[in-house]
Amino acid sequence: MLSHDIEQIEFDLFIKAIYKRHGYDFGNYSKASILRRLKLFLEKSPYSNLSECISPLLRDENFFGNLLSTCLISVTELFRDPSFFKTCIQKIVPILKTYPFIKIWHAGCATGEEVYSMAILLTEMGFSKKFLLYGTDINHEALRVAQEGIYRIDELERASLRYTEAGGKYSLSHYYHQKYGYGKFLDSLKENVVFSTHNLDTDGIFGDMHVILCRNVLIYFKRPLQNKVISLFQNSLVHRGFLCLGPKESMDFMEKKDKFEVISEREKIFRKL
Amino acid sequence: MGQPHVIEHKPVIINEIKCCEVESSFLQEIAQPQCLEHKPIIVNEIKEIDDRNSVQRGDPVLLIVEDDISFSMILKGICHKKGYKCLWASTGAEALDLSQKYLPKGITLDIELPDMSGRQILEKLKENPETSQIPVHVISFDADEALSLQKGAVGHLTKPVMSSDIEKALSNVCHTQKRSIKNVLVVEDTYSEQQAISNIIKNKNIFATIVDSGLKAIEKIQNEQFDCIILDLQLPDISGAELLRRINTLPTIKLPPVIVYTGRDLNKEEFDELNEYTSSFILKGINSKDRLLDELDLFLHKIKSKDNSQQNTQAPSNPNQSIENVKVLVVDDDMRNTFALSSALKKKGLVIILADNGKTALDKLQSEPGIELVIMDIMMPVMDGYEAISRIRMQKQYDNIPIIALTAKILPEDKNKAFEVGANDFLTKPVDVDKLLSLIKLWYAHAQNNLVRK
């Protein structure tokens, strides 16, 4: 048997192991790009082939997080989809204003841009510190970046237009100090933000949330895990809380579809019934 | 620069000068480290302060050149978080010596040192081919001076208190006192800031007397008449408030207006304390101080991203996710509740210590070493949860201990209040154990990572 064929078998087993153990389905990714990234991971790791990785993948809690850092390129940016934030301000914020204190969960927050975007908007909407944002992800490396809150200055400059489109009142540069080609978000912005690991497949209910944002995460999951996660969200939301999904995601075929009403079909905003 | 706004505060006028409009909050006040211990540091101890005894070949090392000890310690904290070991030099000669010996990855340089100017140090670094390529981050009180140095260094920044702030405060003193100021006492222990302040004052034809400790200030004021005191709150011997208190008790001495400047926000108690004595003008350098520290962070970020060799030597940042054997203090007066809750938590491998009111909780924290997290009911007899939480936060060693409050559904305003007194998070009763476990996991990991800037 050719070594190439053996590698193919290894690859299939490895992807299966990831799915069975962690619920992440890389079957949705293009095989070539995943294979390329796994090779990169192997080069940096002490393992010589994927078969050797299967044992730590199953047993070592941290292994998968590190693997994800290499294999998942998180595609997130500040004020991604400004129209979504704009709709939030119109449809969600007035209702949030009726609570004395609000909690928002960003599930799968990657490097944290969405969390900071939300913190900025809430500050401008006059929530003056009466909120707590939880950014969770399975990828430790991404969380470390999120926690630092340091982003390249060109990214921040590009985001300033989206910030204005989303309904920002001032200038994005109001919220960070810049030097040496990077910008760092102010500590005052981080006071009401907490980042932590949470695995949507294996970790439990994350409670009393007024809003949950989980955008562009479910597309990587197979249907059973999608259903499980939606149900986790339903249990983690307060009565009449909001759930926001990504533009390519839908509630249409979910088991819990009837438990939510549509607030904005275009922006994929739902509300718990 | 915001306009100073006057807050009516009988019989005191406070002018707050803010450098930026970003409001600070109670949370920040709670998270603010308390003033550094006011005890004189003996120079021999200082060598123990940096990491020179533990530096090994290949370690990423950073050199901090700064004559202000307490500020050096803050800088060191930031560098440690970024995975650097630190060397500390308080003079130019020592800085050059250390940079030769250790070839640090980067240098932060305060350009006003007692023995050598920043320019001289930079030139010497550049002359030596071994050290000429080391990135240097200039920290300076005087923006113009720093700008002129920028050619040789990577960048520069300005120390917290701006000259315009001090000028403004002085003219405010004149204005409210309805007379001019001729003679000022400057109480400041850092050489570079002494220089900077005296330069500002000299330009205004005011005579400045500079002392570097609180006790010397008391001595001076007994023998001389001053129109105004400029006071740094962080002195080596006694606190600024204590200094004012002592001057105030001196017979026949009337305390003149005081310009206080501080590198951080004052909490309400400190604020009130300072205002007991005289019309104080509080200069808040807090936001510029933050900027200073953020810019150091950005400097480290930059040299790290340029230096790939370090990427791999970094310890993995994976937090320990297991909450097995974590010691949790559960405070609740309802025994049935407590029993159900604690047995559920024990099943998950947590070690539970019980207390039935706030007072017992404080005692348990003392008597049971190693408590890592607190779950606090709010409504309790003897001492309620609010008071217990704020008392815990008053103790420095519990700055970082996670506290989760349990609030009643019928009292929504409890949640805000719980935060105000220093809780990290809250859950509404009756408590869902799974929800509580998620929060325990989250805040425990958070505390382990020690993510609060110290």
Coordinates of all heavy atoms in Angstrom, one line a residue, chain A residues 170-216:
Chain A
Y170 N -19.1 58.0 18.1 CA -17.9 58.9 18.2 C -16.9 58.4 17.1 O -17.2 58.4 15.9 CB -17.3 58.8 19.6 CG -18.3 59.1 20.6 CD1 -18.8 58.0 21.4 CD2 -18.8 60.4 20.9 CE1 -19.8 58.3 22.4 CE2 -19.7 60.6 21.8 CZ -20.2 59.6 22.6 OH -21.1 59.8 23.6
S171 N -15.7 58.0 17.6 CA -14.7 57.5 16.7 C -14.2 56.3 17.4 O -14.0 56.3 18.6 CB -13.6 58.5 16.5 OG -12.4 57.9 16.4
L172 N -13.9 55.3 16.6 CA -13.5 54.0 17.2 C -12.1 54.2 18.0 O -11.9 53.6 19.0 CB -13.3 52.9 16.2 CG -13.0 51.5 16.6 CD1 -14.1 51.0 17.5 CD2 -12.9 50.6 15.4
S173 N -11.3 55.2 17.6 CA -10.0 55.4 18.2 C -10.2 56.0 19.6 O -9.2 56.0 20.4 CB -9.2 56.5 17.4 OG -10.0 57.7 17.3
H174 N -11.4 56.4 20.0 CA -11.7 56.8 21.3 C -11.5 55.6 22.3 O -11.4 55.8 23.5 CB -13.2 57.1 21.2 CG -13.8 57.8 22.4 ND1 -13.7 59.2 22.5 CD2 -14.5 57.4 23.5 CE1 -14.3 59.6 23.6 NE2 -14.7 58.5 24.2
Y175 N -11.5 54.4 21.8 CA -11.6 53.2 22.7 C -10.2 52.4 22.7 O -10.2 51.4 23.4 CB -12.7 52.3 22.2 CG -14.0 52.9 22.3 CD1 -14.7 53.4 21.2 CD2 -14.7 53.0 23.6 CE1 -15.9 54.0 21.3 CE2 -15.9 53.6 23.7 CZ -16.5 54.1 22.5 OH -17.7 54.7 22.6
Y176 N -9.2 52.9 22.0 CA -8.0 52.2 22.1 C -6.8 53.2 22.2 O -6.9 54.3 21.7 CB -7.8 51.2 21.0 CG -7.9 51.7 19.6 CD1 -6.7 52.3 19.0 CD2 -9.0 51.7 18.9 CE1 -6.8 52.8 17.7 CE2 -9.1 52.2 17.6 CZ -8.0 52.7 17.0 OH -8.0 53.2 15.7
H177 N -5.7 52.7 22.7 CA -4.4 53.4 22.6 C -3.6 52.8 21.5 O -3.6 51.6 21.4 CB -3.6 53.3 24.0 CG -4.3 54.1 25.1 ND1 -4.4 53.6 26.3 CD2 -4.8 55.3 25.1 CE1 -5.0 54.5 27.1 NE2 -5.2 55.5 26.4
Q178 N -2.9 53.6 20.7 CA -2.2 53.0 19.7 C -0.7 53.3 19.7 O -0.3 54.4 20.1 CB -2.8 53.3 18.3 CG -2.6 54.8 17.9 CD -3.2 55.0 16.6 OE1 -4.4 55.2 16.4 NE2 -2.3 55.0 15.6
K179 N 0.1 52.4 19.2 CA 1.5 52.7 19.1 C 2.1 51.4 18.4 O 1.6 50.3 18.6 CB 2.2 52.9 20.5 CG 3.4 53.7 20.4 CD 3.9 54.1 21.8 CE 5.0 55.1 21.7 NZ 4.7 56.4 21.2
Y180 N 3.2 51.7 17.7 CA 4.0 50.6 17.1 C 3.2 49.7 16.2 O 3.4 48.5 16.1 CB 4.6 49.7 18.2 CG 5.5 50.4 19.2 CD1 5.2 50.3 20.6 CD2 6.5 51.2 18.8 CE1 6.1 51.0 21.5 CE2 7.3 51.9 19.7 CZ 7.1 51.8 21.0 OH 7.9 52.4 21.9
G181 N 2.2 50.3 15.6 CA 1.4 49.5 14.6 C 0.3 48.6 15.1 O -0.3 47.8 14.4
Y182 N 0.1 48.8 16.4 CA -1.0 48.0 17.1 C -1.9 49.0 17.9 O -1.5 50.0 18.3 CB -0.5 46.9 18.0 CG 0.2 45.8 17.2 CD1 1.5 45.8 17.0 CD2 -0.6 44.7 16.8 CE1 2.1 44.8 16.3 CE2 0.0 43.6 16.1 CZ 1.4 43.7 15.9 OH 2.0 42.7 15.2
G183 N -3.1 48.5 18.2 CA -4.0 49.3 19.1 C -4.4 48.4 20.2 O -4.6 47.2 20.0
K184 N -4.5 48.9 21.4 CA -5.0 48.1 22.5 C -6.2 48.7 23.1 O -6.2 49.9 23.5 CB -3.9 48.1 23.6 CG -4.2 47.3 24.8 CD -3.1 47.1 25.8 CE -3.5 46.1 26.8 NZ -3.4 46.6 28.2
F185 N -7.3 47.9 23.2 CA -8.5 48.4 23.8 C -8.3 48.8 25.3 O -7.6 48.2 26.0 CB -9.6 47.4 23.7 CG -10.3 47.4 22.3 CD1 -10.3 46.3 21.5 CD2 -10.9 48.6 21.8 CE1 -10.8 46.3 20.3 CE2 -11.4 48.6 20.6 CZ -11.4 47.5 19.8
L186 N -9.0 49.9 25.7 CA -8.9 50.4 27.0 C -9.3 49.4 28.1 O -10.3 48.7 27.8 CB -9.7 51.7 27.2 CG -9.5 52.9 26.2 CD1 -10.3 54.0 26.5 CD2 -8.0 53.3 26.2
D187 N -8.7 49.5 29.2 CA -9.1 48.6 30.3 C -10.5 48.9 30.7 O -11.2 48.0 31.2 CB -8.2 48.8 31.5 CG -6.9 48.1 31.3 OD1 -6.7 47.5 30.2 OD2 -6.0 48.1 32.3
S188 N -11.0 50.1 30.6 CA -12.3 50.4 31.0 C -13.3 49.6 30.2 O -14.4 49.3 30.7 CB -12.6 51.9 30.9 OG -12.4 52.3 29.6
L189 N -13.0 49.3 29.0 CA -13.8 48.5 28.1 C -13.8 47.0 28.6 O -14.8 46.3 28.4 CB -13.3 48.6 26.7 CG -14.3 48.5 25.5 CD1 -15.4 49.5 25.7 CD2 -13.6 48.7 24.2
K190 N -12.7 46.6 29.2 CA -12.6 45.2 29.6 C -13.3 44.9 30.9 O -13.4 43.7 31.3 CB -11.1 44.8 29.6 CG -10.4 44.8 28.3 CD -9.0 44.4 28.5 CE -8.2 44.5 27.2 NZ -6.8 44.2 27.4
E191 N -13.6 45.9 31.7 CA -14.1 45.7 33.0 C -15.3 44.8 33.1 O -15.5 44.1 34.0 CB -14.4 47.1 33.7 CG -13.3 47.7 34.2 CD -13.6 49.2 34.5 OE1 -14.7 49.5 34.6 OE2 -12.6 49.9 34.7
N192 N -16.1 44.9 32.0 CA -17.4 44.2 32.0 C -17.4 43.0 31.0 O -18.4 42.6 30.5 CB -18.6 45.1 31.7 CG -18.7 46.2 32.7 OD1 -17.7 47.0 32.9 ND2 -19.8 46.3 33.4
V193 N -16.2 42.5 30.8 CA -16.0 41.5 29.8 C -15.2 40.4 30.4 O -14.2 40.6 31.2 CB -15.2 42.0 28.6 CG1 -14.8 40.9 27.7 CG2 -16.1 43.0 27.8
V194 N -15.6 39.1 30.2 CA -14.8 38.0 30.7 C -14.7 36.9 29.6 O -15.7 36.6 28.9 CB -15.4 37.5 32.0 CG1 -16.8 37.1 31.9 CG2 -14.6 36.3 32.5
F195 N -13.5 36.5 29.4 CA -13.2 35.4 28.4 C -12.9 34.1 29.1 O -12.2 34.1 30.1 CB -12.1 35.8 27.5 CG -12.4 37.0 26.6 CD1 -11.9 38.2 26.9 CD2 -13.1 36.8 25.5 CE1 -12.1 39.3 26.1 CE2 -13.4 37.9 24.7 CZ -12.9 39.2 25.0
S196 N -13.4 33.0 28.6 CA -13.1 31.7 29.2 C -13.4 30.6 28.2 O -14.1 30.8 27.2 CB -14.0 31.6 30.4 OG -13.8 30.3 30.9
T197 N -12.8 29.5 28.5 CA -13.1 28.3 27.6 C -14.4 27.7 27.9 O -14.9 27.7 29.0 CB -12.0 27.2 27.8 OG1 -11.9 26.9 29.2 CG2 -10.7 27.6 27.2
H198 N -15.1 27.3 26.8 CA -16.4 26.6 27.0 C -16.5 25.7 25.7 O -16.4 26.3 24.6 CB -17.5 27.5 27.2 CG -18.8 26.9 27.4 ND1 -19.5 26.3 26.3 CD2 -19.6 26.6 28.5 CE1 -20.7 25.7 26.9 NE2 -20.7 26.0 28.2
N199 N -16.8 24.4 25.9 CA -17.0 23.6 24.8 C -18.5 23.3 24.6 O -19.1 22.8 25.5 CB -16.2 22.2 25.1 CG -16.4 21.2 23.9 OD1 -17.4 21.3 23.2 ND2 -15.4 20.4 23.8
L200 N -19.0 23.8 23.5 CA -20.4 23.7 23.3 C -21.0 22.3 23.3 O -22.1 22.0 23.6 CB -20.8 24.4 22.0 CG -20.6 25.9 21.9 CD1 -20.8 26.4 20.5 CD2 -21.6 26.6 22.9
D201 N -20.1 21.3 23.0 CA -20.5 20.0 23.0 C -20.6 19.3 24.4 O -21.5 18.6 24.7 CB -19.6 19.2 22.0 CG -20.1 17.7 21.9 OD1 -21.3 17.5 22.0 OD2 -19.2 16.8 21.8
T202 N -19.5 19.6 25.1 CA -19.4 18.9 26.4 C -19.7 19.7 27.6 O -19.9 19.1 28.7 CB -18.0 18.3 26.5 OG1 -17.0 19.4 26.3 CG2 -17.7 17.3 25.4
D203 N -19.6 21.0 27.5 CA -19.8 21.8 28.8 C -21.3 22.2 28.9 O -22.0 22.2 27.9 CB -19.0 23.1 28.7 CG -17.5 22.8 29.0 OD1 -17.2 21.7 29.7 OD2 -16.6 23.5 28.6
G204 N -21.6 22.5 30.1 CA -23.0 22.6 30.5 C -23.6 23.9 30.2 O -23.0 24.8 29.6
I205 N -24.8 24.1 30.7 CA -25.7 25.2 30.6 C -24.9 26.5 31.2 O -24.2 26.4 32.2 CB -27.0 24.9 31.3 CG1 -28.0 26.0 31.2 CG2 -26.7 24.6 32.7 CD1 -29.3 25.5 31.7
F206 N -25.1 27.6 30.6 CA -24.4 28.8 30.9 C -25.5 29.9 31.1 O -26.0 30.4 30.2 CB -23.5 29.1 29.7 CG -22.3 29.9 30.0 CD1 -21.3 29.3 30.8 CD2 -22.1 31.2 29.6 CE1 -20.1 30.0 31.1 CE2 -21.0 31.9 29.9 CZ -20.0 31.3 30.6
G207 N -25.7 30.1 32.4 CA -27.1 30.6 32.7 C -27.5 32.0 32.7 O -26.7 32.9 32.8
D208 N -28.8 32.2 32.6 CA -29.4 33.5 32.8 C -29.0 34.6 31.8 O -28.7 35.7 32.2 CB -29.3 34.1 34.2 CG -30.0 33.1 35.2 OD1 -30.7 32.2 34.7 OD2 -29.8 33.3 36.4
M209 N -28.8 34.2 30.5 CA -28.4 35.2 29.5 C -29.6 35.9 28.9 O -30.6 35.3 28.6 CB -27.6 34.4 28.4 CG -26.4 33.7 28.9 SD -25.2 34.9 29.4 CE -24.1 33.8 30.4
H210 N -29.4 37.2 28.7 CA -30.4 37.9 28.0 C -30.3 37.9 26.5 O -31.2 37.9 25.8 CB -30.4 39.4 28.4 CG -30.7 39.6 29.9 ND1 -29.7 39.5 30.9 CD2 -31.9 39.7 30.6 CE1 -30.2 39.7 32.1 NE2 -31.6 39.7 31.9
V211 N -29.0 37.7 26.0 CA -28.7 37.6 24.6 C -27.6 36.5 24.5 O -26.7 36.5 25.3 CB -28.2 38.9 24.0 CG1 -28.1 38.7 22.5 CG2 -29.2 40.0 24.3
I212 N -27.8 35.7 23.5 CA -26.7 34.8 23.1 C -26.3 35.0 21.6 O -27.2 35.0 20.8 CB -27.0 33.3 23.3 CG1 -27.3 33.0 24.8 CG2 -25.9 32.4 22.8 CD1 -27.7 31.6 25.1
L213 N -25.1 35.3 21.3 CA -24.6 35.4 20.0 C -23.8 34.2 19.6 O -22.8 33.9 20.4 CB -23.8 36.7 19.7 CG -24.5 38.0 19.9 CD1 -24.4 38.5 21.3 CD2 -24.0 39.0 18.9
C214 N -24.1 33.5 18.6 CA -23.3 32.4 18.2 C -23.3 32.4 16.6 O -24.2 31.7 16.0 CB -23.9 31.1 18.7 SG -22.9 29.6 18.2
R215 N -22.5 33.2 16.1 CA -22.5 33.5 14.7 C -21.4 32.8 13.9 O -20.3 32.9 14.3 CB -22.5 35.0 14.4 CG -23.7 35.7 15.2 CD -23.6 37.2 15.2 NE -24.0 37.7 13.9 CZ -23.3 38.6 13.3 NH1 -22.1 39.0 13.8 NH2 -23.7 39.0 12.1
N216 N -21.8 32.0 12.9 CA -20.8 31.3 12.1 C -20.1 30.2 12.9 O -18.9 30.0 12.7 CB -19.8 32.3 11.4 CG -20.6 33.5 10.8 OD1 -21.5 33.3 10.1 ND2 -20.1 34.7 11.1

